[in-house]
């Protein structure tokens, strides 16, 4: 028996000796601390070993937060953060708060781990003192929810209208907390209905209920009643809150905003927000189906994708009809939507698209849809034809397709297409000054346009902007510029030297075609690959554009063929557009070389 106890004693002594000594580990902090953001491998390893000592480690780390060496303070703070839950105690809080007030670093999330009201009370107050989002402090408050909710409410109740950064920051907190912020719903509704409170606080409370989302649905009837009773005070605020609430109540408001934005700006991102509601948006399914016949191609595109997300399988015939849409993007989204719904009734229509659509990407999308509807799994090649769809919502049609690219240059030359020469906007001071530039050739127009472009463009255009085309006309000179990711634009300059931006996009060509002026715009950058043909109009002396045709990618070479058709080479392949608007696929270097 004695020998057994001796053996256990020796084993325990051996294990204890093998464990890193806490004092030795703490002593290594100064030599291990490295300058720069983030923690390197050595610092992370040291923090891992120190964490094994839990509360004992906390007692020795916290004094180092007062070190005059910034790198030591940062590493000590990181080590504190890495301690297991329960290691930090309420008695540590005063020193942690003192250190956090001087330099937040890693400390907010460590403080949030302390199970004491004083911890989250401090975090809420400190967020108000210095509101930061996408940082340690807001993350700590979010992670501490619902414990942090009453303290955020308290600070909101004391904030002034001038504290805009803090008030905006709270909006992001509620959104990220979501259901964990449910305890804030009743107090926020009470603030909304309290006529003794200032207007700004009541309106902010309404917006916060929308940020919280589904957990705040119980407040919506009261919000709607307030909007009806006092529309001049609360109508706009309530509509905005409901529109961002991620609930069925959001659908109607989002749909109105989506259609308006698509018509006015040609943007469809609000339809994306509607699609994110999923089945919560099924109540507007019939309205979306009706928009599939809209005259505006962007409205049809947005409606098609949003409809697919609602799960309204009863509307599959309307979605199947969208397969025949003249805009290839709408046909593509209809294919993906029918696949999501597994709409067997659409198989004959999909078969027709697979065999007869002019654009290969859409034909392959129909093939993909048929496979999915029949219970199969898409092949790797089928997925490549879909481009970015596997990672993104099918609304993302303006993306690269790895199976397609520009038509080969020798094929373009056979068509007799000649590109206009580009002219530099300006030269930088370090470059040779004898380079032909737009500034040197057209100084009056350069001055006029410089006065209307944004400061950011003015700072970047010298090294990236090119004049693609210039057309002189009786009512003014039209000028198209491209500037890559910094975006060029279509401008008009009148005879008296006044410039106006008509289209805020990269302009790849500007030409006369089919009895009208058309402009080709597009963007190819960071996964984006989109293009459009617009008609340029002058109605009662006012210049403007309207979208004509969606291109299958960013345009490059382009021109009018001898037979009057328009050729455009895009990153999604070459296309020929007839005077009647019908498309013909002219080929692609990748697709032709791989077949």
């Amino acid at each position: 028996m004695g020998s057994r106890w001796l053996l256990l004693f020796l084993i325990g002594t051996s294990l204890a000796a093998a464990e890193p000594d806490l004092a030795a580990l703490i002593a290594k902090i100064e030599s291990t601390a490295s300058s720069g953001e983030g923690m390197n491998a050595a610092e992370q390893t040291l923090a891992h070993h120190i964490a094994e000592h839990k509360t004992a480690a906390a007692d020795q780390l916290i004094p180092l937060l007062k070190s005059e060496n910034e790198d030591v303070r940062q590493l000590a703070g990181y080590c504190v953060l890495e301690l297991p839950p329960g290691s930090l105690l309420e008695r540590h809080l005063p020193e942690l708060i003192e250190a956090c007030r001087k330099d937040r670093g890693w400390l907010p999330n460590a403080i949030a781990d302390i199970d004491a009201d004083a911890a989250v009370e401090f975090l809420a107050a400190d967020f108000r003192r210095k509101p930061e989002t996408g940082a340690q402090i807001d993350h700590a408050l979010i992670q501490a929810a619902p414990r942090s909710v009453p303290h955020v409410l308290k600070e909101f109740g004391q904030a002034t209208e001038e504290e805009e950064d803090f008030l905006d920051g709270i909006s992001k907190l509620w959104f990220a907390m979501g259901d964990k912020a449910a305890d804030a719903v009743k107090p926020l509704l009470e603030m909304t209905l309290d006529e003794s409170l200032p207007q700004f606080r009541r309106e902010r409370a309404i917006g916060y209920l929308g940020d919280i989302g589904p957990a705040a649905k119980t407040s919506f009837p009261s919000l709607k009643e307030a909007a009806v009773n006092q529309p001049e005070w609360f109508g706009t605020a309530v509509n905005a809150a409901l529109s961002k609430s991620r609930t069925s109540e959001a659908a109607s408001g989002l749909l109105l905003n989506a259609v308006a934005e698509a018509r006015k700006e040609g943007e469809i991102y609000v339809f994306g927000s509607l699609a994110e509601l999923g089945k919560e948006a099924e109540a507007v399914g019939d309205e979306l189906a009706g928009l599939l016949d809209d005259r505006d191609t962007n409205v049809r595109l947005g409606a098609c994708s949003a409809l697919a997300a609602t799960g309204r399988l009863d509307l599959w015939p309307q979605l199947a009809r969208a397969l025949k849409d003249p805009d290839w993007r709408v046909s593509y989204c209809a294919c993906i939507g029918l696949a999501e719904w597994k709409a067997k009734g659409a198989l004959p229509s999909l078969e027709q698209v697979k065999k007869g659509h002019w654009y290969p990407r859409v034909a392959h999308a129909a093939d993909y849809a048929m496979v999915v509807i029949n219970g199969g799994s898409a092949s790797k090649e089928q997925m490549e034809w879909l481009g970015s769809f596997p990672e993104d919502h099918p609304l993302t049609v303006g993306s690269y397709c790895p199976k397609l690219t520009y038509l080969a240059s020798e094929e373009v030359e056979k068509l007799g297409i000649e590109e206009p020469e580009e002219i530099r906007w300006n030269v930088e001071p370090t470059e040779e000054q004898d380079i032909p530039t737009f500034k040197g050739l057209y100084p009056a127009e350069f001055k006029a346009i410089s006065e209307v472009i944004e400061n950011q463009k003015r700072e970047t255009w010298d090294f990236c902007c090119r004049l693609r085309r210039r057309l002189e006309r009786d009512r003014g000179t039209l000028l198209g510029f491209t500037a890559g990711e910094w975006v060029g634009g279509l401008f008009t300059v009148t005879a008296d030297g006044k410039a106006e931006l008509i289209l805020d996009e990269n302009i790849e060509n500007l030409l006369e075609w089919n009895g009208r002026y058309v402009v080709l715009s597009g963007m190819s950058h960071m996964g984006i690959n989109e293009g459009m043909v617009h008609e340029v109009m002058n109605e009662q002396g006012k210049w403007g554009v309207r979208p004509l045709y969606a291109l299958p990618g960013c345009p490059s070479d382009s021109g009018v063929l001898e037979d009057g058709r328009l050729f455009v080479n895009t990153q999604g392949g070459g296309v020929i557009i007839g005077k009647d608007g019908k498309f013909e696929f002219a080929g692609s270097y990748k697709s032709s070389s791989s077949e």
Side-chain angles (χ1 to χ4, degrees):
M1 188 69 172
S3 60
R4 180 182 177 189
W5 281 112
L6 177 61
L7 178 61
L8 291 173
F9 173 77
L10 291 174
I11 291 174
T13 303
S14 175
L15 290 174
E19 291 181 359
D21 178 72
L22 177 59
L25 292 171
I26 296 295
K28 287 183 179 181
I29 288 180
E30 185 171 356
S31 61
T32 306
S34 175
S35 59
E37 296 183 2
M39 293 290 121
N40 61 35
E43 290 171 315
Q44 292 180 43
T45 299
L46 180 60
H48 174 73
H49 287 307
I50 290 175
E52 295 175 358
H53 296 271
K54 302 179 181 178
T55 300
D59 292 335
Q60 296 195 39
L61 285 169
I62 290 175
L64 293 178
L65 299 175
K66 299 179 180 180
S67 172
E68 295 182 0
N69 186 319
E70 180 182 357
D71 298 328
V72 169
R73 292 199 307 272
Q74 286 294 316
L75 179 52
Y78 178 74
C79 291
V80 169
L81 174 64
E82 290 297 293
L83 293 174
S87 301
L88 292 170
L89 307 177
E90 191 169 357
R91 64 179 171 82
H92 294 128
L93 196 52
E95 289 182 276
L96 288 172
I97 288 176
E98 180 184 356
C100 191
R101 283 198 177 110
K102 294 178 181 178
D103 182 9
R104 282 177 178 165
W106 305 96
L107 297 180
N109 278 295
I111 292 173
D113 284 340
I114 298 176
D115 188 15
D117 275 350
V120 284
E121 181 181 21
F122 162 73
L123 290 172
D126 204 52
F127 181 71
R128 179 182 172 191
R129 176 183 68 85
K130 185 181 177 183
E132 294 177 318
T133 55
Q136 293 281 326
I137 184 72
D138 64 318
H139 183 266
L141 286 166
I142 294 165
Q143 293 300 108
R147 288 191 299 125
S148 57
V149 167
H151 303 288
V152 174
L153 283 169
K154 175 186 173 184
E155 297 299 327
F156 167 55
Q158 297 173 353
T160 64
E161 188 173 5
E162 289 70 31
E163 296 177 71
E164 289 189 8
D165 289 345
F166 171 62
L167 297 173
D168 291 343
I170 293 178
S171 176
K172 296 177 180 178
L173 290 180
W174 296 138
F175 183 87
M177 289 179 185
D179 291 347
K180 291 183 178 180
D183 290 344
V185 173
K186 183 178 178 181
L188 287 172
L189 182 59
E190 290 173 351
M191 290 184 189
T192 296
L193 303 178
D194 188 345
E195 295 183 0
S196 68
L197 293 179
Q199 183 71 16
F200 89 90
R201 200 177 315 281
R202 299 174 73 185
E203 289 184 352
R204 286 283 186 173
I206 292 171
Y208 294 158
L209 289 167
D211 293 320
I212 291 172
K217 285 188 72 170
T218 55
S219 69
F220 292 173
S222 297
L223 293 184
K224 292 176 182 178
E225 184 178 351
V228 170
N229 294 336
Q230 295 179 287
E232 71 281 6
W233 291 106
F234 299 116
T236 300
V238 170
N239 286 337
L242 295 179
S243 293
K244 62 180 178 179
S245 67
R246 311 182 298 285
T247 65
S248 57
E249 281 79 358
S252 296
L254 279 175
L255 181 57
L256 290 174
N257 294 339
V259 172
E261 193 71 18
R263 294 200 199 287
K264 182 180 178 181
E265 304 292 341
E267 298 286 353
I268 57 175
Y269 67 90
V270 183
F271 278 106
S273 299
L274 186 60
E276 289 175 1
L277 294 178
K279 291 189 176 182
E280 292 286 355
E282 63 181 9
V284 296
D286 292 299
E287 294 177 73
L288 288 168
L291 291 172
L292 295 177
D293 296 319
D294 197 89
R295 294 180 61 184
D296 191 307
T297 185
N298 289 313
V299 171
R300 298 197 308 274
L301 173 61
C304 186
S305 271
L307 178 60
T310 65
R312 283 284 303 274
L313 184 57
D314 60 302
L315 295 173
W316 75 261
Q318 288 89 328
L319 196 57
R321 194 174 72 247
L323 293 170
K324 298 179 180 180
D325 195 281
D327 187 327
W328 72 270
R329 301 173 302 170
V330 179
S331 301
Y332 173 88
C333 284
C335 289
I336 303 304
L338 291 167
E340 289 183 352
W341 288 359
K342 292 184 170 53
K344 288 187 175 293
L347 286 172
S349 299
L350 288 165
E351 179 69 27
Q352 292 179 7
V353 173
K354 175 184 174 181
K355 293 180 177 179
H357 200 279
W358 68 267
Y359 192 40
R361 189 174 178 186
V362 176
H364 283 278
D367 182 44
Y368 159 83
M370 294 175 68
V371 170
V372 172
I373 291 171
N374 286 317
S377 298
S379 66
K380 178 181 178 182
E381 183 175 6
Q382 285 174 320
M383 298 307 292
E384 287 177 350
W385 278 104
L386 297 183
S388 66
F389 166 59
E391 289 78 29
D392 300 308
H393 190 271
L395 190 67
T396 312
V397 292
S399 58
Y400 291 105
C401 175
K403 305 292 285 186
L404 295 167
T405 189
Y406 300 104
L407 181 64
S409 57
E410 57 268 22
E411 297 299 321
V412 176
E413 291 175 4
K414 291 178 183 178
L415 296 171
I417 299 299
E418 294 183 4
E419 280 291 280
E421 292 186 11
E422 292 184 333
I423 299 175
R424 287 276 299 273
W425 166 260
N426 195 10
V427 293
E428 297 183 87
T430 56
E431 295 183 291
E432 296 181 11
Q433 299 300 301
D434 59 350
I435 299 174
T437 65
F438 179 68
K439 179 181 180 180
L441 295 171
Y442 307 101
E445 293 171 3
F446 177 89
K447 181 177 183 234
I449 294 174
S450 296
E451 290 175 353
V452 299
I453 61 176
E454 301 173 356
N455 289 333
Q456 183 181 8
K457 288 186 177 181
R458 191 178 296 113
E459 293 170 359
T460 58
W461 272 20
D462 282 354
F463 68 85
C464 69
C465 185
R466 304 286 189 274
L467 173 69
R468 292 288 288 168
R469 195 68 186 269
R470 178 179 179 273
L471 293 178
E472 292 185 11
R473 293 297 177 264
D474 294 338
R475 298 181 179 181
T477 301
L478 293 168
L479 304 109
F481 296 90
T482 184
E485 62 184 289
W486 287 277
V487 185
L490 176 66
F491 296 84
T492 180
V493 180
T494 60
D496 58 357
K498 293 182 179 179
E500 180 185 359
L501 175 63
I502 303 174
L503 182 62
D504 190 18
E505 295 181 15
N506 280 324
I507 306 304
E508 299 301 333
N509 205 350
L510 171 64
L511 43 81
E512 291 184 63
W513 174 60
N514 204 15
R516 54 192 170 189
Y517 301 123
V518 295
V519 60
L520 277 59
S521 68
M523 171 69 80
S524 176
H525 176 69
M526 297 289 289
I528 300 172
N529 179 32
E530 57 190 15
M532 184 71 70
V533 180
H534 305 265
E535 179 181 5
V536 184
M537 304 170 295
N538 188 297
E539 297 178 348
Q540 299 180 341
K542 178 70 174 177
W543 289 98
V545 298
R546 71 178 182 92
L548 283 179
Y549 310 114
L551 297 169
C554 184
S556 177
D557 318 284
S558 60
V560 180
L561 302 177
E562 290 183 359
D563 60 6
R565 293 181 299 166
L566 178 64
F567 168 79
V568 187
N569 200 12
T570 82
Q571 199 154 1
V575 296
I576 297 174
I577 309 173
K579 292 182 178 181
D580 57 359
K582 290 186 177 180
F583 276 68
E584 175 186 332
F585 187 62
S588 162
Y589 178 76
K590 283 188 178 179
S591 64
S592 59
S593 62
S594 62
E595 291 175 356

